[in-house]
Amino acid sequence: MKRVLIRGGEVTTAVDRWRGDILIEDGRIAALGAALSADAEIHEAAGLLVLPGGVDVHTHIDYDTGSARTADTFETATRAAAFGGTTTIVDYAFQPRDVPSVAAAFDDWLGRAATACVDVGAHMILTAVTPATLAETRRLVRHGGVTSVKLFMAYPDTLMVDDGALWRVMRQVGDDGGLVCLHAENGPLIQALVEEALAAGHTAPRWHAATRPSCAEGEAVDRAVAVSELAGAPVYLVHLSTREGVEAVARARDRNLPVWAETCPHYLFLDESAYDTDDVEAAAKVVFTPPLRGLEHQRALWRGLATGDLQVISTDHCPFCISETTLTPYHAKRAAEACDFTRIPNGAPGIETRMPLLFDAAVAGRRMDLHRFVALTATNPAKLFGLFPRKGAIAVGSDADLVLFDPDATTTVRASEHHSRVDYSLFEGWSLRGAIRKVFSRGELIVDGAIWRGRAGAGRFLRREASGGL
Ligand code: URP
Ligand code: ZN
Ligand code: ZN
Ligand code: ZN
């Protein structure tokens, strides 16, 4: 039996904080106490916080959009995640419209996920809702450990499903104890705005934001809630970015409906002024969906986190290399007028910066306490997606996924020092309070300061349970 002892740290979870020791046996937490002793590999944690490893439930790893592929493999993304204090991810497996077999799409995902360095689960994205895909989805949700399904209300040409399909999927997945995740934006409305912008010659990246107004998110969240209420199913809104979206969620929750929602660091820390540049490359870095918004929206998101109307902060890690993007003929000319914003792949990196950014702004910046920080980044996502208390907790029997964090050190964000394959960070040069010292995945030391001790393929596929809510 392999024993590891983490000694003298400030053990901090979503609900408690105490100074002491954690004994790990064969990857699981075996004992918690004040002065444990054992014949074990010892790690001194005096002066450090010991946190549950982060749980990031929104990533697009090794994902082919049809016109571009995201930059990371499961190996590079999960290594980057680990260096950022995240030890569990739940990634979006994807059933493209031209591959109508959900099972085949999932098997393909599972094959690619085999190189993961930390544990990974999957949600299943459905783009074709038919009796056959519904039957395959039923098997995955009931028996395959894939207890959440994602639908898009946006991207009419490639991903969107209509409201009838929304209702069908919600009713079935809800009956099966699963959770439906929704990208809530009004796709046809946005498409009309995009067509009008292009016809008027508005092609610069700022038009990506201008054609996706905040009301298109708010309307879609209201509609998603109405359909989920009719279906009697819980729903989880991904990457909320607007005041209207948060208010729609709050209205639903005030009516006691099982409605959950996440936001992402870029919406909390950046705003739409990032599009106000003639440097197409700089603006292309912030072309993701939903787009960045004005400060009024940012304030509403922070308020949603404080009131509990938003329960999760995930990354939507969906990175495309700017250097590769600019190689396409389309981006060869850098001038804004030579651009067509609709051809910039949508998405940005974030898997390595989520926890450090949130610690700095939220905890050191006194927007929330350490326990809420842990809840939003680890415990709540683990609970909502059927992983708690195996993940997101420091308790006897839990997986020993742990982060040793120095609250008094400083980290400077530099893409050149990151572990993702992507070639930029949205937060380049930011100086953040706090630093990750060591990271353990099921009791194995995988991050040791700047040294990588993990291994491709060491991560396991997580067969998730039904969502228990919060
Ligand atoms: O721009 C983004 N977010 N790309 C990934 C797909 C999605 O909508 O989440
Ligand atoms: Zn989305
Ligand atoms: Zn996404
Ligand atoms: Zn776009």
Side-chain angles (χ1 to χ4, degrees):
M1 183 186 312
K2 176 170 176 179
R3 285 202 178 90
V4 177
L5 185 60
I6 297 176
R7 223 157 50 180
E10 186 88 352
V11 181
T12 305
T13 72
V15 291
D16 55 14
R17 172 138 52 136
W18 49 275
R19 184 162 304 161
D21 306 343
I22 300 175
L23 178 65
I24 301 163
E25 288 180 354
D26 286 338
R28 288 183 177 226
I29 295 172
L32 304 168
L36 301 178
S37 68
D39 179 16
E41 173 188 310
I42 292 180
H43 297 268
E44 297 295 347
L48 302 178
L49 300 171
V50 184
L51 308 171
V55 178
D56 185 355
V57 293
H58 189 154
T59 66
H60 303 273
I61 298 169
D62 199 357
Y63 161 60
D64 188 352
T65 67
S67 55
R69 193 167 201 106
T70 55
D72 279 312
T73 61
F74 277 86
E75 178 181 357
T76 62
T78 54
R79 194 177 60 201
F83 273 101
T86 290
T87 51
T88 300
I89 62 168
V90 184
D91 186 69
Y92 280 106
F94 175 55
Q95 174 254 313
R97 277 187 191 162
D98 57 356
V99 181
S101 168
V102 178
F106 176 67
D107 285 346
D108 177 62
W109 179 92
L110 205 52
R112 285 179 290 107
T115 64
C117 309
V118 304
D119 292 352
V120 294
H123 319 272
M124 190 75 222
I125 293 174
L126 288 186
T127 62
V129 177
T130 66
T133 59
L134 281 170
E136 289 182 300
T137 300
R138 171 151 270 167
R139 279 194 288 279
L140 275 181
V141 173
R142 284 191 178 172
H143 310 295
V146 180
T147 52
S148 46
V149 170
K150 183 184 192 183
L151 301 172
F152 284 88
M153 300 170 80
Y155 310 120
D157 290 339
T158 49
L159 307 174
M160 190 181 87
V161 301
D162 66 23
D163 296 348
L166 225 59
W167 174 77
R168 282 197 180 87
V169 174
M170 283 185 185
R171 202 175 49 156
Q172 172 179 306
V173 172
D175 279 353
D176 290 346
L179 186 57
V180 174
C181 306
L182 285 178
H183 174 134
E185 277 187 307
N186 185 319
L189 176 60
I190 288 165
Q191 181 157 323
L193 295 172
V194 167
E195 282 166 15
E196 187 174 80
L198 291 180
H202 298 316
T203 56
R206 64 169 59 91
W207 289 90
H208 171 69
T211 54
R212 309 189 86 93
S214 59
C215 67
E217 179 175 282
E219 180 281 329
V221 174
D222 272 325
R223 184 155 39 98
V225 168
V227 178
S228 77
E229 187 175 10
L230 199 63
V235 71
Y236 178 88
L237 284 312
V238 304
H239 57 38
L240 280 196
S241 64
T242 63
R243 177 179 57 75
E244 292 92 323
V246 183
E247 286 174 358
V249 167
R251 276 195 296 279
R253 294 177 56 77
D254 285 347
R255 295 171 51 229
N256 272 324
L257 295 173
V259 174
W260 318 102
E262 67 176 22
T263 189
C264 310
H266 36 281
Y267 304 117
L268 294 168
F269 297 116
L270 303 175
D271 69 80
E272 64 190 1
S273 64
Y275 301 107
D276 292 338
T277 168
D278 290 327
D279 177 348
V280 174
E281 198 172 287
K285 291 178 181 173
V286 284
V287 171
F288 41 72
T289 301
L292 294 173
R293 312 288 187 178
L295 295 175
E296 152 204 14
H297 300 284
Q298 203 180 80
R299 280 192 290 272
L301 296 171
W302 281 107
R303 181 173 156 72
L305 294 171
T307 59
D309 285 321
L310 301 178
Q311 301 83 31
V312 174
I313 301 169
S314 66
T315 61
D316 197 6
H317 182 75
C318 186
F320 298 97
C321 287
I322 284 293
S323 56
E324 289 168 22
T325 306
T326 54
L327 288 180
T328 63
Y330 188 72
H331 285 89
K333 293 187 195 161
R334 299 287 173 84
E337 35 324 335
C339 176
D340 170 351
F341 68 91
T342 64
R343 299 179 62 178
I344 300 169
N346 284 199
I351 207 165
E352 194 161 350
T353 43
R354 179 183 68 135
M355 306 278 283
L357 278 167
L358 263 296
F359 180 85
D360 174 76
V363 183
R366 299 188 180 220
R367 282 181 181 272
M368 62 180 74
D369 74 358
L370 261 171
H371 309 290
R372 191 184 289 268
F373 162 73
V374 173
L376 290 165
T377 56
T379 311
N380 290 355
K383 286 181 176 174
L384 282 171
F385 290 97
L387 292 167
F388 184 84
R390 183 168 166 197
K391 307 294 189 188
I394 298 179
V396 172
S398 295
D399 283 354
D401 290 0
L402 300 165
V403 176
L404 271 48
F405 190 86
D406 182 347
D408 300 319
T410 306
T411 302
T412 303
V413 178
R414 295 198 198 290
S416 61
E417 292 168 11
H418 275 173
H419 302 82
S420 164
R421 281 195 58 235
V422 75
D423 54 2
Y424 74 97
S425 168
L426 293 173
F427 308 99
E428 185 68 32
W430 287 32
S431 176
L432 306 175
R433 173 92 171 269
I436 289 162
R437 298 298 189 209
K438 290 183 180 178
V439 178
F440 298 82
S441 170
R442 277 184 279 98
E444 298 289 335
L445 179 67
I446 59 172
V447 170
D448 187 2
I451 300 167
W452 175 240
R453 299 195 187 282
R455 181 172 62 76
R460 292 186 189 152
F461 173 64
L462 293 165
R463 295 176 65 87
R464 293 182 293 115
E465 320 245 307
S467 170
L470 273 183

